[in-house]
């Protein structure tokens, strides 16, 4: 008995010390941040502070390393902690199985080193609720971790939260080896009609691919059979203030992993965010319509985009009108992901005033990814990105794509030129402008830079400075305006044209160097004008520069 009391006191003291240490470390981070010379006025990020009062879930009946659900114990501890003025709720080391965790204000849920929290695969534990996904208000299952309208809330420690996502997610045959696919199919579930997608149940298949069979007027009751199609994000905080996530691992989510939505004063630090590389909708972090915060020293290895900035989708996002703004994102590493740092495609409420520094992308499908499409609307502006390192990028190191999901946009397979019909500008027109890239290093990519704007609203006022690029293909611009390349060293690992410019205006290359190509510039498009080129490593000859006859006077070589 005495030994048990000593052990409990040790756990409580450790939790309090760890929590206070976390607060101090983040206060130090904030202090350093305030000293940086940021290109916009950054308010001081408010970090949550907690009472030293500590509760242990084991004292509420949670039993580790057993099949007994700890749901009731965890949530009763959180509720009591919040109701008594707040403090720390400790999850000790051990394996704990639980249903949804409901966070409360003034509570720091602290998962000790060795704590493994596995969310149950029993879907009856997750109720259908009105929630959010991909920018819209929709009916979904409860998230494994959720909090709504909270203030002063945190999840800290060194523990692991596992969303048991394989029980929810469909899997595409193209994302698995033959052996893996065979094993998955033999495990149960059902295949789509074309036998290229596996679903965990018939209901999940119907909910995704046969929506005509779903109730015409969805309700909580009539949608219950299709719960596996209504996959939740794993960590959902909606309309919360002073949110801290620090130190823990979030992995294996049913859909998106970590999704703060309409939150203010957000501090995310020292997180490990993981999903299988084949996980459908397996985003890492989706900051959506949030204000004021930092993301520092996090690691991502996921099945979709890693660090993703969003602000709502189409009309609903525009009506909400809440941009994601005033964030500093630094010192993060991304392994597998569709995109390393991403804005879009759901950005209808706008994105502005972001500072991104010191990121490393290792084998990430695309490095810096900016995407939207006609119909989204929204303005993305005032984005600063610097000190970025990339290696082994299978597609583009930097890509702007304003035709996301648009099948009508076609690209000439030889020249790379896109010819797209111009339409009137409206509130549904997406705008990407005023973005600054400095100190970008790429050691291996399929293509260095690709900008695909739209004729009625070109990607505008983008500056690339101090770049070393090693890639198979070089730079390609379509429907871009006021693009500056300054001190860029491009080396092609496959012979071809280094730079392709079409339907773009006011494009300037200053101190531009290339090697490995058989042609430096290909310039076309009747609307192209004001192209200025200054090379630092050669004097251009006729064979280096191929320009469409009607616009030859628009291209100037500046010695």
């Amino acid at each position: 008995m005495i030994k048990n009391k000593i052990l409990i006191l040790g756990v409580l003291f450790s939790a309090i010390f760890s929590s206070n240490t976390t607060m101090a470390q983040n206060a130090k981070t904030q202090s350093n941040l305030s000293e940086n010379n940021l290109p916009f006025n950054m308010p001081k990020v408010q970090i949550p502070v907690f009472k030293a009062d500590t509760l242990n879930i084991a004292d509420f009946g949670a039993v580790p390393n057993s099949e007994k659900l700890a749901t009731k114990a965890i949530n009763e501890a959180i509720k009591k902690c919040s109701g008594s003025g707040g403090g720390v709720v400790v999850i000790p080391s051990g394996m704990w199985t639980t249903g949804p965790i409901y966070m409360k204000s003034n509570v720091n849920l602290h998962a000790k080193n060795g704590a493994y929290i596995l969310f149950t695969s029993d879907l009856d534990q997750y109720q259908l609720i009105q929630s959010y996904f991909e920018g819209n208000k929709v009916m979904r299952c409860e998230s494994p971790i959720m909090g709504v309208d909270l203030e002063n809330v945190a999840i800290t420690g060194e523990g692991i939260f596992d969303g048991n996502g394989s029980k929810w997610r469909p899997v595409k045959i193209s994302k698995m080896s033959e052996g893996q696919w065979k094993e998955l199919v033999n495990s149960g579930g059902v295949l789509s009609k074309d036998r290229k997608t596996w679903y965990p149940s018939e209901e999940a298949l119907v909910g995704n691919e046969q929506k005509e069979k779903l109730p015409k007027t969805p309700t909580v009751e009539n949608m219950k059979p299709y719960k596996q199609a209504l996959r939740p994000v794993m960590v959902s905080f909606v309309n919360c203030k002073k949110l801290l996530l620090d130190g823990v691992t979030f992995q294996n989510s049913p859909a998106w992993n970590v999704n703060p939505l309409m939150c203010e004063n957000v501090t995310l630090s020292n997180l490990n965010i993981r999903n299988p590389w084949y996980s459908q909708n397996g985003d890492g972090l989706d900051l959506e319509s949030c204000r004021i915060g930092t993301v520092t020293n996090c690691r991502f290895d996921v099945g979709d985009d890693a660090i993703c900035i969003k602000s709502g989708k189409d009309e609903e996002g525009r009506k909400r009108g809440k941009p994601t703004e005033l964030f500093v994102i630094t010192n993060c590493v991304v392994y597998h992901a569709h995109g390393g740092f991403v804005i879009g495609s759901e950005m209808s409420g706008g994105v502005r005033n972001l500072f991104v520094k010191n990121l490393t992308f290792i084998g990430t499908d695309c490095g810096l990814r900016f995407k939207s499409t006609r119909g989204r609307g929204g303005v993305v502006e005032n984005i600063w990105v610097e000190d970025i390192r990339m290696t082994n990028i299978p597609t583009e190191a930097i890509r702007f794509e304003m035709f996301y999901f648009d099948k009508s946009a076609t690209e000439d397979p030889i020249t790379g030129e896109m010819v797209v019909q111009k339409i009137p500008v409206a509130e549904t027109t997406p705008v990407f402008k005023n973005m600054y890239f400095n100190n970008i290093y790429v050691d291996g990519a399929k293509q260095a830079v690709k900008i695909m704007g739209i004729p009625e609203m070109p990607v505008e006022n983008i500056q690339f400075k101090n770049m070393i690029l090693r890639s198979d293909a070089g730079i390609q611009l379509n429907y871009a305006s006021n693009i500056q390349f300054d001190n860029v060293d491009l080396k092609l690992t496959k012979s071809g044209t280094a730079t392709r410019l079409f339907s773009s205006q006011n494009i300037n290359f200053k101190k531009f160097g290339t090697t490995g190509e058989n042609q430096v510039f290909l310039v076309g498009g009747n609307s192209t004008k004001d192209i200025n080129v200054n090379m630092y490593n050669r004097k251009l000859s006729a064979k280096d520069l191929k320009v469409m006859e009607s616009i030859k006077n628009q291209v100037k070589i500046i010695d």
Side-chain angles (χ1 to χ4, degrees):
M1 184 70 177
I2 294 173
K3 280 177 105 177
N4 287 340
K5 285 184 178 179
I6 293 172
L7 178 62
I8 291 171
L9 286 171
V11 169
L12 298 187
F13 176 79
S14 176
I16 295 168
F17 177 79
S18 177
S19 177
N20 289 339
T21 300
T22 298
M23 300 301 111
Q25 287 174 341
N26 280 286
K28 184 177 179 181
T29 299
Q30 179 58 47
S31 176
N32 291 338
L33 172 63
S34 65
E35 295 170 5
N36 287 336
N37 184 24
L38 295 174
F40 50 85
N41 291 327
M42 178 72 181
K44 183 177 181 179
V45 183
Q46 298 177 34
I47 299 171
V49 177
F50 303 95
K51 291 171 60 179
D53 296 354
T54 305
L55 301 175
N56 189 312
I57 65 168
D59 295 332
F60 289 78
V63 179
N65 311 315
S66 72
E67 295 181 2
K68 181 181 178 181
L69 288 179
T71 315
K72 184 178 179 182
I74 294 173
N75 287 308
E76 282 186 353
I78 291 172
K79 185 176 180 180
K80 183 173 181 179
C81 183
S82 178
S84 61
V88 181
V89 172
V90 171
I91 303 178
S93 63
M95 185 169 181
W96 312 85
T97 303
T98 181
I101 294 174
Y102 308 101
M103 295 298 297
K104 300 290 184 183
S105 292
N106 301 312
V107 173
N108 174 12
L109 182 64
H110 185 82
K112 297 291 292 180
N113 188 358
Y116 182 85
I117 301 95
L118 176 66
F119 289 95
T120 178
S121 60
D122 176 10
L123 300 194
D124 288 339
Q125 301 297 317
Y126 305 89
Q127 302 303 309
L128 285 174
I129 60 172
Q130 281 296 320
S131 185
Y132 297 86
F133 188 60
E134 293 188 331
N136 290 329
K137 195 167 187 177
V138 292
M139 187 179 295
R140 309 292 287 187
C141 289
E142 291 178 313
S143 292
I145 301 173
M146 70 183 83
V148 181
D149 298 332
L150 306 181
E151 187 165 352
N152 209 61
V153 61
I155 300 175
T156 66
E158 299 175 78
I160 298 171
F161 293 85
D162 189 312
N164 216 340
S166 59
K167 304 297 183 181
W168 296 84
R169 294 187 304 262
V171 179
K172 294 179 179 178
I173 190 173
S174 60
K175 295 190 174 184
M176 294 196 127
S177 68
E178 183 178 350
Q180 289 171 327
W181 179 252
K182 185 177 180 180
E183 183 180 353
L184 179 65
V185 172
N186 289 339
S187 71
V190 295
L191 293 178
S192 60
K193 188 175 180 180
D194 62 7
R195 304 187 65 81
K196 293 183 177 180
T197 303
W198 175 90
Y199 290 93
S201 68
E202 179 71 26
E203 292 80 7
L205 182 149
V206 171
N208 282 278
E209 296 201 2
Q210 300 174 16
K211 294 185 178 180
E212 71 279 359
K213 294 183 180 180
L214 297 177
K216 302 303 179 186
T217 305
T219 66
V220 168
E221 287 302 316
N222 64 28
M223 289 299 290
K224 277 183 179 178
Y226 310 102
K227 289 176 73 169
Q228 278 186 304
L230 305 176
R231 296 176 289 136
V233 302
M234 179 174 166
V235 183
S236 173
F237 285 95
V238 180
N239 197 36
C240 296
K241 296 181 179 179
K242 290 195 286 185
L243 168 66
L244 168 67
L245 305 178
D246 180 87
V248 299
T249 295
F250 296 116
Q251 68 178 31
N252 201 14
S253 57
W256 293 353
N257 201 315
V258 178
N259 180 209
L261 169 63
M262 295 184 289
C263 293
E264 188 168 314
N265 288 295
V266 177
T267 303
L268 310 179
S269 54
N270 309 308
L271 299 174
N272 289 297
I273 298 180
R274 304 172 62 244
N275 274 332
W277 73 270
Y278 55 82
S279 55
Q280 192 74 11
N281 306 112
D283 290 22
L285 167 65
D286 292 277
L287 282 170
E288 188 173 4
S289 295
C290 292
R291 295 188 74 248
I292 311 173
T294 60
V295 180
T296 58
N297 196 35
C298 295
R299 301 293 183 267
F300 299 85
D301 194 341
V302 296
D304 208 313
D305 292 329
I307 305 168
C308 198
I309 311 300
K310 299 178 181 288
S311 63
K313 183 177 180 180
D314 300 342
E315 183 178 5
E316 187 170 328
R318 296 193 298 272
K319 284 184 176 180
R320 182 194 298 164
K322 291 182 178 291
T324 293
E325 60 182 341
L326 300 168
F327 269 84
V328 174
I329 300 169
T330 59
N331 304 328
C332 295
V333 177
V334 178
Y335 297 95
H336 185 271
H338 288 182
F341 173 78
V342 183
I343 298 179
S345 71
E346 302 91 358
M347 37 59 70
S348 302
V351 177
R352 63 193 180 202
N353 293 336
L354 306 183
F355 182 73
V356 181
K357 182 181 177 68
N358 197 30
L359 306 186
T360 302
F361 307 141
I362 303 172
T364 311
D365 288 352
C366 179
L368 300 167
R369 188 182 188 195
F370 308 93
K371 54 183 177 175
S372 188
T373 191
R374 287 167 169 165
R376 288 281 189 268
V379 178
V380 175
E381 62 181 341
N382 302 338
I383 314 295
W384 285 263
V385 181
E386 64 180 50
D387 297 336
I388 309 295
R389 299 161 298 278
M390 313 183 202
T391 185
N392 298 325
I393 306 299
T395 63
E396 296 87 5
I398 302 174
R399 177 166 74 218
F400 286 79
E401 183 181 7
M402 301 300 104
F403 291 99
Y404 197 59
F405 294 130
D406 191 339
K407 306 297 185 186
S408 65
T410 58
E411 185 177 336
D412 187 299
I414 299 175
T415 67
E417 181 175 10
M418 294 182 69
V419 180
V420 181
Q421 184 178 1
K422 188 176 182 178
I423 65 174
V425 173
E427 68 170 6
T428 59
T429 305
V431 179
F432 280 67
K433 64 180 181 179
N434 303 340
M435 302 172 69
Y436 311 93
F437 301 85
N438 186 27
N439 296 339
I440 311 293
Y441 307 98
V442 179
D443 183 19
K446 183 178 180 180
Q447 184 165 11
V449 179
K450 187 173 186 177
I451 298 180
M452 316 298 279
I454 48 180
E456 66 272 17
M457 188 63 67
V459 174
E460 183 178 15
N461 193 29
I462 311 296
Q463 182 184 93
F464 300 101
K465 189 173 183 180
N466 302 325
M467 299 171 69
I468 297 176
L469 309 171
R470 304 292 180 259
S471 57
D472 293 347
I475 296 168
Q476 180 181 345
L477 308 182
N478 283 271
Y479 302 115
S481 176
N482 192 23
I483 312 296
Q484 317 292 324
F485 292 90
D486 187 355
N487 193 30
V488 174
D489 179 8
L490 172 65
K491 179 179 180 180
L492 298 188
T493 53
K494 291 186 178 180
S495 181
T497 302
T499 307
R500 301 167 182 265
L501 310 176
F502 303 100
S503 306
S504 298
Q505 303 80 40
N506 192 17
I507 312 298
N508 293 280
F509 289 83
K510 180 182 178 183
K511 293 189 289 185
F512 182 57
T514 64
T515 55
E517 76 291 332
N518 56 28
Q519 183 174 284
V520 182
F521 287 96
L522 173 62
V523 184
N526 289 322
S527 63
T528 295
K529 63 180 181 180
D530 295 331
I531 311 297
N532 299 288
V533 180
N534 168 243
M535 306 291 291
Y536 76 79
N537 67 341
R538 71 171 71 189
K539 185 173 182 179
L540 290 176
S541 64
K543 70 179 183 64
D544 292 324
L545 189 62
K546 183 177 180 181
V547 183
M548 192 170 74
E549 190 66 32
S550 62
I551 58 169
K552 277 197 170 182
N553 63 343
Q554 296 295 330
V555 180
K556 297 179 181 178
I557 300 173
I558 302 173
D559 294 328

